[in-house]
Amino acid sequence: MSESSLYAEPILVENVQDCFFYQRMDIPGVGEMGKNDGQWDLRDCIIQYLGELDYRGKRTLDVGTASGFLTFEMEKQGAEVVSFDMDMGNQWDIVPHFQTIQSRDSIFEACNQVHQRLKNAYWFAHRHLQSNAKMYYGNVYNLPDELGPFDVVVLAMILPHLRDPFQALYSASRLSKDTVVVTEQFMESEDAIARFLPSPEDKSMNHSWWTLSEGCLKQMLGILGFRIKNVVKFKARCLVSGLEGYHECKAVVAKRVDIKSEIH
């Protein structure tokens, strides 16, 4: 697969009203984006959110980029970034709740509309920030080998929204030759456990599947050949109605194990 066919062509987006900025961001000459509908404001914790790594000269994969805030921040820090996201909103792993199964088509159509506005926000910011980041649209469970290798792979607040978080972690981490950063709101447990979030009583939680423990992630990463080297604790500001405020988060930084040294 050639590079020209691997990466997406930029979309020209001129009207900011066609955009949805998932995270608030500042665009010089344009202003503050996401003031009205953004769901997170990570501007005061972005260094911690990205694991307190030095991104200078690093080739980095941003998994689940949404409107691109992490991509553009890593680029500001000197990284060469490839962004990844779904091509269409109907690729979301929607929880097949029995009370909403008849509304499946309308739910997916709404997902498509939201995702298109996220895409628009990414490309709007990409152009105004004069970004050099490349974008790949595809399937998180089957990222192509041609994307890699990367020095750092970042998966931030994405695993709980996936039906199969381990497969997604494998798909992305295998492209890293050195470091994986996973940022989440983990359960406080060293045991390898995951809590299933959907319930028969609540049909509204159709985008969230799991809460993982830090011990669960440690075991998953260990299976994939990574060892946790650092855990950065911080608070991130949530803007979602009913959840407003600062929430405890962790950025888990893991390094690929040298198999030869492990054997000897």
Side-chain angles (χ1 to χ4, degrees):
M1 187 183 297
S2 67
E3 182 170 305
S4 61
S5 63
L6 185 64
Y7 298 114
E9 289 294 324
I11 300 170
L12 178 59
V13 180
E14 297 182 311
N15 189 349
V16 72
Q17 300 302 319
D18 296 331
C19 301
F20 168 37
F21 288 88
Y22 182 72
Q23 299 105 346
R24 286 186 182 175
M25 70 172 76
D26 298 303
I27 301 181
V30 180
E32 182 184 9
M33 302 293 100
K35 286 192 295 184
N36 298 321
D37 57 0
Q39 297 191 6
W40 290 90
D41 187 350
L42 308 176
R43 291 172 295 181
D44 62 354
C45 65
I46 188 59
I47 299 299
Q48 294 81 11
Y49 197 92
L50 292 171
E52 296 182 341
L53 294 180
D54 182 355
Y55 283 88
R56 289 176 296 180
K58 299 292 196 304
R59 187 166 191 264
T60 304
L61 177 64
D62 177 15
V63 182
T65 193
S67 46
F69 180 71
L70 300 188
T71 284
F72 304 131
E73 288 297 317
M74 288 187 285
E75 199 172 28
K76 287 178 187 177
Q77 295 178 35
E80 174 193 344
V81 187
V82 173
S83 309
F84 162 78
D85 218 320
M86 305 174 293
D87 188 28
M88 299 286 290
N90 60 14
Q91 290 176 275
W92 264 103
D93 280 344
I94 299 296
V95 176
H97 197 285
F98 75 97
Q99 294 186 45
T100 61
I101 202 70
Q102 300 301 321
S103 306
R104 179 183 177 89
D105 290 345
S106 60
I107 290 172
F108 280 135
E109 180 55 32
C111 289
N112 282 334
Q113 293 175 13
V114 170
H115 190 65
Q116 185 59 57
R117 295 185 67 229
L118 283 170
K119 275 180 152 180
N120 290 345
Y122 176 91
W123 290 113
F124 182 91
H126 190 279
R127 179 164 65 91
H128 285 277
L129 293 171
Q130 299 181 344
S131 172
N132 292 313
K134 295 182 174 66
M135 168 62 83
Y136 172 76
Y137 293 117
N139 183 350
V140 70
Y141 297 128
N142 188 26
L143 296 174
D145 294 339
E146 291 86 352
L147 284 177
F150 294 96
D151 300 298
V152 186
V153 169
V154 177
L155 302 100
M157 299 290 191
I158 181 175
L159 296 182
H161 300 295
L162 299 172
R163 184 178 55 246
D164 191 342
F166 181 78
Q167 176 60 30
L169 185 62
Y170 162 70
S171 173
S173 67
R174 79 184 205 286
L175 301 178
S176 174
K177 61 184 180 181
D178 186 73
T179 303
V180 170
V181 179
V182 181
T183 301
E184 293 292 350
Q185 295 171 280
F186 293 99
M187 284 190 292
E188 291 292 338
S189 177
E190 288 300 316
D191 294 331
I193 56 176
R195 178 182 296 129
F196 187 64
L197 294 175
S199 72
E201 295 76 27
D202 185 2
K203 65 180 181 180
S204 66
M205 190 177 287
N206 59 4
H207 287 82
S208 298
W209 291 82
W210 307 97
T211 297
L212 306 179
S213 68
E214 190 178 329
C216 183
L217 179 68
K218 179 180 179 181
Q219 193 154 318
M220 288 178 170
L221 287 168
I223 290 169
L224 299 175
F226 290 85
R227 179 174 295 144
I228 293 176
K229 293 298 182 181
N230 191 28
V231 178
V232 181
K233 299 179 181 180
F234 62 97
K235 290 186 177 181
R237 184 185 176 195
C238 181
L239 306 172
V240 177
S241 177
L243 297 173
E244 299 97 329
Y246 286 85
H247 294 252
E248 297 279 352
C249 298
K250 292 180 181 179
V252 176
V253 180
K255 296 283 188 178
R256 184 173 287 281
V257 172
D258 184 338
I259 298 177
K260 293 181 180 179
S261 65
E262 289 292 307
I263 293 175
H264 297 292

